[in-house]
Amino acid sequence: MRLKWPLSAAVVLVLTAGCSENESTIETEEAAGEITVWAWNLEADYLIDLVPEFEDLYPDIKVNILKLSGDQVYQRLTTGLAAGVESQLPDLVQVENQRIDLYMDNFQESFVNLSDMGFDEHRDKFVEGKISPLINDEGGVMAFPRDTGPMAVFYRADLFEDAGIDANDIVTWDDYIEAGEQMLERTGTLMTGIQLTGDTQFYRAMLQQQDLFYFDLDGRITANTYAALNAMEKLKEMDEAGLFLYASNGEEVNAAIKNDAVATVISGSWQKGIIEDQMPEQEGLWRVMKLPAFEEGGLTAANDGGSNLAITSVSSNKEAAYLFGEFASVNVDNQVHGALSYGAYPALIEAIDRPEFKEGDAFFGDQEVFTLFGEEAIDLPVVNFTDDYLRAQNTFNDAIGRVILQDVPIDEALETAANRLEAATGREVSDE
Amino acid sequence: MSNTVTPKTKAPQTSKGKSTKNKAGLAPYVFIAPAIILFLLFTGYPIVYSLVLSFTTNVEGVNTFSGFENYIRLFKDSLFYESLFNTFIILIFQVPIMIMLAVILANVLHSGIHRFKGVLRVAFFTPTVTSLVAAAVIFLLILNQDFGILNFILQSMGIDRIPWLNDPFWAKVSLIMVTIWRWTGYNMIIILAGLQVIPKDLYEAASIDGATPLRKFFSITLPQLKPVLLFAFVMSTIGTFQLFDEAFNLTDGGPINATTTVTMYLYENGFEYFDFGYASSIAYVVVLIIAVLSFIQFKLAGDD
């Protein structure tokens, strides 16, 4: 019933904020006993696959994987951390890069510093763009790095052929726009989908290609920078060229892909899994190319997505949790398995170099898809997510909506975004 | 010990009189105690704590007192005004349309149709108890701009496709449509109950005087329904201010915040950005607005 909402909201507000202290319990040193892991979707499946082998290695440890939805993990984690009660929290939990800062800053001491447990020996085994955001102010690694989402352009080879476009000719965003116009003219197909309510990931990619993000490395807001303006202008050009299919969220974009309504998708490597899963009839028609750069020779790499495993401070079995986290993130075979079975592209450099990834993929016309992702993964720029990431994402998406849907001048839309973020976060605005 | 002995003769009388009085006085409180305790624990305490929280901000993981900072920030926050504006727009369009529909449906069900009364009541009430997450999935399919069934029907009638969820204006319309779909049945049931207590002799007297059905509706039914309608209006106003799941599941507040309601804005601040103090201050401002609106409605409709 409608009436119930404010009450329950108030209750949760209190439960989450009422008791924000949590003292970590005494650390047990022997690696034995049971641990609970919270994860969602494919990551949970991946972890479940690892359990038998892990339990063979460490017969005294029993691992329980709880497969939830992403929202459930975050909601339970938030309330659990606020309450600080061990029975309400897992020993190990999946957290995405973009949320790590949010949790670490609002629930300080809520996660175990893995450097204290010896993770520093593995630090250099991961691509820089992945592990940097996981390092706290004191230089400690706060979570086990798992997958990354190197971004690329997924395209339909058959439609490109019909339109007479050679994918090799698309090097810059301008080339991409030109190809899109040709596509529209010759086949009537739109170039790509843009999520107007959801998340315009490729705007974020465009910022990354200019070595920026919603925030710069000092945590300042970038909405007033040349890079933000430049990226927004490209979006506007694409829109004016009529390349976009307007979708409200990711599902609508996927519906458009399924219905042959768009010729390309600009997304993270995990999009591979979605296409293979939901559009099996399009087998053999897809290919992948690197992101267009702003100018020839410019940065093509950008990261979207990727999660990590963090140990909660209240866990009474940190040693066992550490061993399992290490097994799930540092073991090369496991990373390869995760990538091949679930499309979770590894952040572990040694795994990226594995020969399994150099095999052609039948779904993508025998293209060596993973090789391309690997090249991108190594180049991923280091970005600063900050604890205001979600607010920034919403604010920037609003700015995009204003520019695309309401023809608000770009500088005005970005100015508004900068002001709103400044007021809400108290952060400085960068104007470089 | 001595005084327990001295009033020995008096004791039975007083204790008898006292104990029966005590028992009679205490019993109701014992029976309502569980409800009171639960209310205080899960409603009273949060309400008070939320007020306290609204005067704090989170500084590096610790709630610190910040005076009226949250409220000052709130009054400068353009997004808050936008969400308030959205809520008002929905209120102004959705509530009257919904109540009107509910009155019409209730009257039809009350007098006109006799055969499928039960089935129809259930049919109209079902949306109220349907999980909105499930319903939202269906509506997303119906309202999809390129492949949705609604646009397919419109196109086959020669009407252009409408960007239901991808345009700030149409997203609001979509949200209003879904809210009407969901809550009309609920109000219809309330009004139906109201219709059933209107004395029959009023209608008989009117019939003798030769009143038309329309005249009866306006001169008897509506005035008699006034308290029920007032109730429905007040509840719907409060409900609109708490509108959350519809917007959250269907439009996620977008595009460009066109469908962000105040409650959604509260949720975003509290549970996405972990700005609990700020979220609490939004909650208190909303409570104030609801109180004022309800007061006005009672004033306008009351005085009989």
Side-chain angles (χ1 to χ4, degrees):
Chain A
M1 291 270 293
R2 292 212 245 179
L3 254 186
K4 293 280 163 60
W5 213 85
L7 304 188
S8 50
V11 170
V12 185
L13 265 179
V14 166
L15 288 180
T16 48
C19 23
S20 51
E21 268 90 18
N22 47 23
E23 274 314 307
S24 54
T25 45
I26 311 128
E27 211 171 292
T28 46
E29 285 301 323
E30 79 271 24
E34 264 185 61
I35 56 165
T36 308
V37 186
W38 289 356
W40 64 83
N41 298 352
L42 301 175
E43 181 70 6
D45 293 335
Y46 163 73
L47 294 174
I48 289 167
D49 287 354
L50 303 189
V51 171
E53 204 189 327
F54 180 78
E55 288 182 346
D56 281 347
L57 270 169
Y58 301 96
D60 294 336
I61 302 174
K62 191 175 175 329
V63 184
N64 301 309
I65 313 276
L66 190 59
K67 182 178 178 177
L68 301 160
S69 74
D71 285 346
Q72 277 176 318
V73 169
Y74 288 129
Q75 277 162 13
R76 284 185 173 203
L77 185 64
T78 307
T79 40
L81 286 175
V85 182
E86 192 195 343
S87 61
Q88 300 298 319
L89 285 168
D91 299 278
L92 203 62
V93 61
Q94 180 184 0
V95 182
E96 290 155 296
N97 272 45
Q98 56 256 48
R99 303 243 187 181
I100 280 276
D101 285 340
L102 190 67
Y103 279 105
M104 285 201 306
D105 289 5
N106 287 283
F107 300 102
Q108 295 208 334
E109 320 288 318
S110 55
F111 294 126
V112 172
N113 184 344
L114 301 184
S115 294
D116 295 344
M117 299 184 77
F119 193 76
D120 282 347
E121 58 170 313
H122 302 304
R123 205 197 157 298
D124 295 334
K125 296 179 183 171
F126 294 91
V127 297
E128 191 61 23
K130 174 68 183 178
I131 198 161
S132 276
L134 303 180
I135 294 172
N136 70 2
D137 298 340
E138 285 86 50
V141 181
M142 296 310 292
F144 297 100
R146 268 285 297 131
D147 59 320
T148 67
M151 288 186 77
V153 181
F154 295 76
Y155 67 96
R156 285 278 295 271
D158 54 332
L159 292 173
F160 267 47
E161 202 179 324
D162 290 347
I165 301 166
D166 183 357
N168 294 321
D169 294 341
I170 301 178
V171 179
T172 64
W173 284 108
D174 292 327
D175 298 338
Y176 181 82
I177 294 171
E178 214 173 286
E181 284 168 334
Q182 197 172 328
M183 175 66 70
L184 190 63
E185 196 182 303
R186 300 211 185 152
T187 68
T189 311
L190 295 169
M191 196 60 167
T192 195
I194 183 169
Q195 297 179 35
L196 294 167
T197 298
D199 174 24
T200 312
Q201 319 136 335
F202 56 91
Y203 179 75
R204 216 160 45 230
M206 288 171 160
L207 288 177
Q208 289 181 52
Q209 291 183 315
Q210 301 172 86
D211 282 317
L212 269 184
F213 198 55
Y214 294 150
F215 303 99
D216 64 15
L217 292 179
D218 299 324
R220 290 179 302 176
I221 300 154
T222 59
N224 257 356
T225 58
Y226 171 73
L229 194 79
N230 197 16
M232 197 68 94
E233 267 166 5
K234 276 287 166 281
L235 274 192
K236 184 75 184 167
E237 270 177 51
M238 289 159 94
D239 182 52
E240 276 170 356
L243 307 192
F244 286 140
L245 176 130
Y246 291 176
S248 64
N249 52 36
E251 278 76 50
E252 286 197 4
V253 173
N254 289 335
I257 302 171
K258 178 116 186 147
N259 286 290
D260 303 325
V262 290
T264 75
V265 187
I266 306 167
S267 191
S269 55
W270 39 263
Q271 185 74 36
K272 176 179 187 292
I274 294 179
I275 294 176
E276 287 172 348
D277 227 38
Q278 299 184 17
M279 301 96 195
E281 71 281 4
Q282 295 175 358
E283 179 168 356
L285 302 181
W286 285 92
R287 303 286 184 277
V288 185
M289 64 177 160
K290 289 182 182 177
L291 286 185
F294 274 90
E295 63 253 7
E296 264 178 67
L299 188 60
T300 57
N303 185 14
D304 190 53
S307 55
N308 312 284
L309 295 163
I311 302 178
T312 55
S313 305
V314 290
S315 162
S316 60
N317 215 342
K318 299 191 182 75
E319 207 62 33
Y322 181 85
L323 288 173
F324 186 69
E326 195 181 36
F327 187 68
S329 67
V330 184
N331 183 302
V332 182
D333 289 333
N334 290 342
Q335 300 304 308
V336 175
H337 169 72
L340 294 179
S341 303
Y342 303 109
Y345 199 77
L348 192 69
I349 295 166
E350 209 181 317
I352 294 172
D353 293 339
R354 278 284 284 263
E356 285 95 323
F357 288 142
K358 302 210 165 56
E359 280 164 30
D361 193 315
F363 197 96
F364 288 82
D366 285 326
Q367 188 188 359
E368 292 171 24
V369 176
F370 279 111
T371 311
L372 186 137
F373 290 149
E375 288 167 15
E376 295 298 296
I378 299 288
D379 288 338
L380 291 185
V382 175
V383 296
N384 188 359
F385 286 94
T386 82
D387 60 332
D388 291 314
Y389 171 83
L390 291 174
R391 201 188 280 277
Q393 185 188 310
N394 286 344
T395 312
F396 271 89
N397 279 341
D398 279 355
I400 292 169
R402 275 170 222 281
V403 169
I404 302 281
L405 290 175
Q406 294 183 326
D407 287 321
V408 171
I410 291 170
D411 45 355
E412 195 186 312
L414 285 172
E415 181 82 39
T416 310
N419 290 341
R420 282 185 175 171
L421 277 175
E422 189 182 22
T425 64
R427 288 174 184 277
E428 271 179 61
V429 176
S430 160
D431 47 12
E432 282 158 30
Chain B
M1 269 176 233
S2 57
N3 52 0
T4 51
V5 186
T6 25
K8 208 174 183 180
T9 46
K10 266 188 172 178
Q13 276 183 331
T14 43
S15 79
K16 196 185 172 189
K18 230 183 192 174
S19 69
T20 46
K21 204 180 176 187
N22 262 357
K23 267 181 205 157
L26 211 62
Y29 296 107
V30 171
F31 282 113
I32 61 168
I36 296 277
I37 291 169
L38 285 176
F39 172 82
L40 288 178
L41 201 65
F42 290 109
T43 310
Y45 177 68
I47 288 173
V48 174
Y49 195 85
S50 170
L51 182 65
V52 174
L53 211 55
S54 74
F55 293 105
T56 65
T57 35
N58 187 319
V59 181
E60 295 186 343
V62 187
N63 281 325
T64 39
F65 183 76
S66 61
F68 284 94
E69 204 181 90
N70 285 326
Y71 290 95
I72 294 166
R73 187 180 140 197
L74 191 60
F75 287 111
K76 289 186 202 156
D77 186 349
S78 57
L79 272 179
F80 173 68
Y81 289 115
E82 251 176 63
S83 66
L84 212 53
F85 172 76
N86 293 336
T87 310
F88 269 110
I89 291 285
I90 294 167
L91 182 75
I92 289 164
F93 287 99
Q94 184 248 336
V95 173
I97 296 175
M98 175 181 70
I99 304 262
M100 216 169 68
L101 275 175
V103 169
I104 293 169
L105 285 175
N107 271 291
V108 170
L109 281 188
H110 183 60
S111 52
I113 302 160
H114 294 285
R115 287 192 63 182
F116 302 107
K117 230 175 197 172
V119 179
L120 285 173
R121 278 184 212 182
V122 171
F124 283 116
F125 194 70
T126 307
T128 314
V129 290
T130 305
S131 151
L132 205 92
V133 178
V137 173
I138 307 292
F139 273 105
L140 285 173
L141 291 175
I142 294 174
L143 297 174
N144 186 306
Q145 182 176 347
D146 297 287
F147 316 108
I149 191 157
L150 193 55
N151 273 349
F152 177 76
I153 294 169
L154 288 179
Q155 264 190 315
S156 56
M157 296 188 323
I159 302 168
D160 266 352
R161 282 190 300 197
I162 291 172
W164 292 110
L165 300 172
N166 298 328
D167 178 88
F169 172 78
W170 289 108
K172 274 200 190 78
V173 174
S174 304
L175 186 61
I176 289 173
M177 285 192 328
V178 172
T179 319
I180 290 175
W181 168 81
R182 189 162 190 218
W183 294 104
T184 301
Y186 173 79
N187 287 290
M188 182 197 78
I189 295 287
I190 293 173
I191 292 165
L192 203 54
L195 284 176
Q196 277 159 1
V197 297
I198 299 176
K200 290 266 186 302
D201 39 0
L202 289 177
Y203 291 104
E204 282 163 16
S207 297
I208 293 165
D209 289 342
T212 59
L214 210 62
R215 184 69 202 265
K216 281 187 215 166
F217 176 76
F218 282 106
S219 300
I220 301 171
T221 312
L222 273 188
Q224 290 286 320
L225 272 181
K226 201 172 159 188
V228 178
L229 285 177
L230 176 66
F231 174 78
F233 262 107
V234 173
M235 293 307 277
S236 303
T237 305
I238 296 174
T240 308
F241 265 88
Q242 291 160 8
L243 195 66
F244 175 79
D245 358 14
E246 287 86 346
F248 186 74
N249 288 307
L250 193 70
T251 58
D252 201 14
I256 331 178
N257 290 315
T259 54
T260 306
T261 60
V262 249
T263 324
M264 240 193 101
Y265 191 54
L266 183 159
Y267 174 86
E268 277 178 7
N269 275 286
F271 301 101
E272 281 185 9
Y273 313 148
F274 293 168
D275 210 341
F276 293 114
Y278 194 52
S280 299
S281 67
I282 297 174
Y284 265 86
V285 172
V286 171
V287 166
L288 208 71
I289 294 171
I290 291 177
V292 171
L293 280 180
S294 304
F295 178 77
I296 293 172
Q297 282 173 327
F298 274 111
K299 274 281 158 213
L300 284 179
D303 304 332
D304 260 359

